[in-house]
Structure formats: structure tokens, C-alpha cells
Amino acid sequence: QLQQSGPGLVKPSQTLSLTCVISGDSVSSNSAAWNWIRQSPSRGLEWLGRTYYRSKWYNDYAVSVKSRITINPETSKNQFSLQLNSVTPEDTAVYYCASGQYGMDVWGQGTTVTVPS
Amino acid sequence: SYELTQPPSVSVSPGQTARITCSGDALPKQYVYWYQQKPGQAPVLMIYKDSERPSGIPERFSGSSSGTTVTLTISGVQAEDEADYYCQSTDSSDTSVAFGGGTKLTVL
């Protein structure tokens, strides 16, 4: 299971921070990947990035947010986090964490994040 | 960035067969995954590795691939299948994940 937490309102130009707590698996798994996805009416499902461990840590980020995003694994707490800097109203969306080895078979409950104009 | 193309909508009557396509240049080399999403819910994985069905997914859901196009087939569509369906894959370098734009399945 994945349990998300974080604020639902972020002011423009500030940093959006969300956490996804993992139960029933390990963030250090050698087979799973840990993803952040967002969804807005205008953009559908948009993959933001992922972190995964294959003898060392790797990160992949979407080109659209690459200059503003950081996804970090936190092994001591068995969780991973999303930080998105310099947010604008365009970043208003439902944010999901999701994981899996082949595809994303486990999803968090979703967090609605609003960036007011 | 890598793009996957889906039709915006598909409509079928109950009991008929629905086919939803997804096109992308890297699909001959990369697996495709299909998700079902109902309003207010997180997506659910319906098909993985092009044609495999996770446990608990009804047999009426199947996936197939041919070149740069993959297809989700729902045989004997039921009213409960009305939802948005998204394909997902990765680019040829396997570093960028992409979702299709989604297809709204309407059961008439």
C-alpha cells in the first residue's frame, strides 16, 4: 500500500512537497520503481518522475518538469518524496504516487494540490 | 518527450466488444500497460506487459500488439466497464514514461 501526505494548498513560486509512505514492500527493492504522477482536466495523466534502486539509486524525470523536480527515496522511513519548485497555477492537479515492477499496480489515494492565481 | 496516441472516445452497447487503440513509435520495443480509471478514483492496472492480466481482472479484458499499435479489447462489455482507459509505456531509451491521452468508454 501507498499512503500519501502533504499540503493541499501551495502558494505561487513556493515548493510543493508530498510524501508517499510504503507498506508491504521496500523502497530499496531491486525490482520496483516508485513514481509520481499528476492529473488535471487539461493534461490527463502526466508522469512526473521516478526513483528506483538497482544496486545504486536512479532517477528519471519528465522533460516538462526536469528543471524543478526532485524525487528522493528515504530508506530509514521506507518512503519517497516529491518536491516541485517554483509552482504556478498550472501545477494545480491531483498528485498520485504509484509503484510496480511491470507497470504501476499500486497507487496512493491521490492528493489534490491547488496553486491559486 | 515521448507521445502515445489514443482515440478520445469509444462507444459500445452492452454485450458487444470494445477495442481501444494506442499508438507510439517505440511500442514494438517496449511493453504497454493499460489502466482503468473511474471518476474520483485512482487508476487500476488492467493489463501489463502488453497482454498479461493481473489477478482479479476479468477475463473479458485482453491486450494485443501489432507493430506500433497496441489494442485493449473488452469482450462482452458490461455497464460497469464504463470508464476512462489509459495506455502507458516508455520511450526507446527506457528513461521516460508516457501515458496516452485517455479514451472514454461509453456503454450505451
Side-chain angles (χ1 to χ4, degrees):
Chain A
Q1 283 188 335
L2 300 176
Q3 182 68 36
Q4 301 177 216
S5 62
L9 184 67
V10 182
K11 294 180 180 179
S13 79
Q14 293 192 342
T15 297
L16 180 162
S17 296
L18 297 174
T19 298
C20 187
V21 177
I22 303 161
S23 57
D25 202 344
S26 170
V27 71
S28 302
S29 163
N30 265 299
S31 57
W34 308 94
N35 301 268
W36 286 100
I37 299 106
R38 68 183 179 185
Q39 185 172 32
S40 62
S42 60
R43 292 190 172 190
L45 288 172
E46 180 185 12
W47 176 79
L48 299 176
R50 65 185 177 186
T51 190
Y52 58 96
Y53 185 78
R54 302 292 186 267
S55 302
K56 69 175 186 176
W57 289 101
Y58 294 87
N59 288 98
D60 296 315
Y61 298 127
V63 170
S64 61
V65 295
K66 193 168 187 176
S67 63
R68 301 191 290 133
I69 190 173
T70 303
I71 295 176
N72 280 325
E74 300 175 40
T75 56
S76 62
K77 297 181 180 180
N78 202 30
Q79 63 188 34
F80 62 109
S81 62
L82 166 69
Q83 287 194 313
L84 188 64
N85 302 325
S86 304
V87 298
T88 71
E90 289 285 302
D91 294 310
T92 294
V94 177
Y95 286 75
Y96 293 100
C97 58
S99 70
Q101 179 179 4
Y102 293 108
M104 302 174 202
D105 59 348
V106 182
W107 290 68
Q109 78 274 25
T111 301
T112 300
V113 177
T114 301
V115 182
S117 55
Chain B
S1 59
Y2 184 48
E3 292 187 359
L4 297 172
T5 302
Q6 298 181 234
S9 63
V10 168
S11 299
V12 295
S13 298
Q16 291 190 330
T17 296
R19 294 179 179 84
I20 299 172
T21 59
C22 173
S23 299
D25 290 343
L27 294 186
K29 301 177 183 178
Q30 300 291 3
Y31 287 129
V32 165
Y33 306 88
W34 288 96
Y35 302 85
Q36 177 193 71
Q37 187 180 31
K38 295 182 178 180
Q41 299 180 16
V44 174
L45 180 67
M46 305 300 283
I47 296 289
Y48 67 100
K49 292 171 68 176
D50 292 347
S51 59
E52 301 292 324
R53 222 176 18 256
S55 61
I57 302 303
E59 291 185 5
R60 63 180 182 275
F61 290 88
S62 63
S64 60
S65 65
S66 179
T68 58
T69 299
V70 295
T71 303
L72 172 70
T73 300
I74 311 171
S75 304
V77 167
Q78 300 181 6
E80 66 195 50
D81 300 331
E82 186 164 284
D84 294 326
Y85 291 85
Y86 294 88
C87 61
Q88 177 248 306
S89 188
T90 57
D91 65 0
S92 56
S93 67
D94 206 22
T95 59
S96 182
V97 174
F99 286 94
T103 299
K104 182 175 182 58
L105 175 66
T106 299
V107 182
L108 301 171

